[in-house]
Amino acid sequence: MKLQIQGIKSGQTIKLLDIVNIPDGTVFLEIEADKPIDKSARLARLNGVFGAWRNQPDIDLIFADIDTQRHQDYGRNIDSFDF
């Protein structure tokens, strides 16, 4: 069985994020690490995102629609106890 699971390394520990049903026994891990991003590169990526919706004329309507959908009451299905 071959699975791909993401994890976070902190010091000498790797925390696996989403462990599925892995049978007990010997496990072989193959680790592929992403290159760490320096602070200036991270800030440059964030600055590219900031203000991305600035010139959207209908942004207020879009968020109003999202808010309406989030707070809409769909009721709930209750099982009948009639025999």
Side-chain angles (χ1 to χ4, degrees):
M1 173 188 325
K2 186 173 183 177
L3 300 172
Q4 198 172 41
I5 301 171
Q6 286 186 322
I8 298 173
K9 180 191 171 284
S10 177
Q12 294 294 316
T13 303
I14 297 175
K15 178 180 179 184
L16 301 178
L17 297 178
D18 188 24
I19 298 179
V20 292
N21 294 329
I22 299 174
D24 291 343
T26 302
V27 177
F28 175 75
L29 298 176
E30 184 175 319
I31 298 174
E32 180 179 316
D34 292 333
K35 284 185 175 180
I37 301 173
D38 66 353
K39 287 184 181 183
S40 61
R42 185 179 304 167
L43 184 59
R45 286 176 56 187
L46 285 174
N47 284 331
V49 175
F50 293 149
W53 294 346
R54 174 180 50 236
N55 297 322
Q56 290 278 351
D58 55 348
I59 196 68
D60 291 334
L61 294 174
I62 292 170
F63 277 99
D65 186 43
I66 292 169
D67 188 58
T68 300
Q69 290 178 23
R70 287 184 63 217
H71 294 95
Q72 192 168 17
D73 183 12
Y74 293 102
R76 65 179 204 193
N77 194 11
I78 299 175
D79 293 333
S80 173
F81 290 108
D82 295 337
F83 291 98

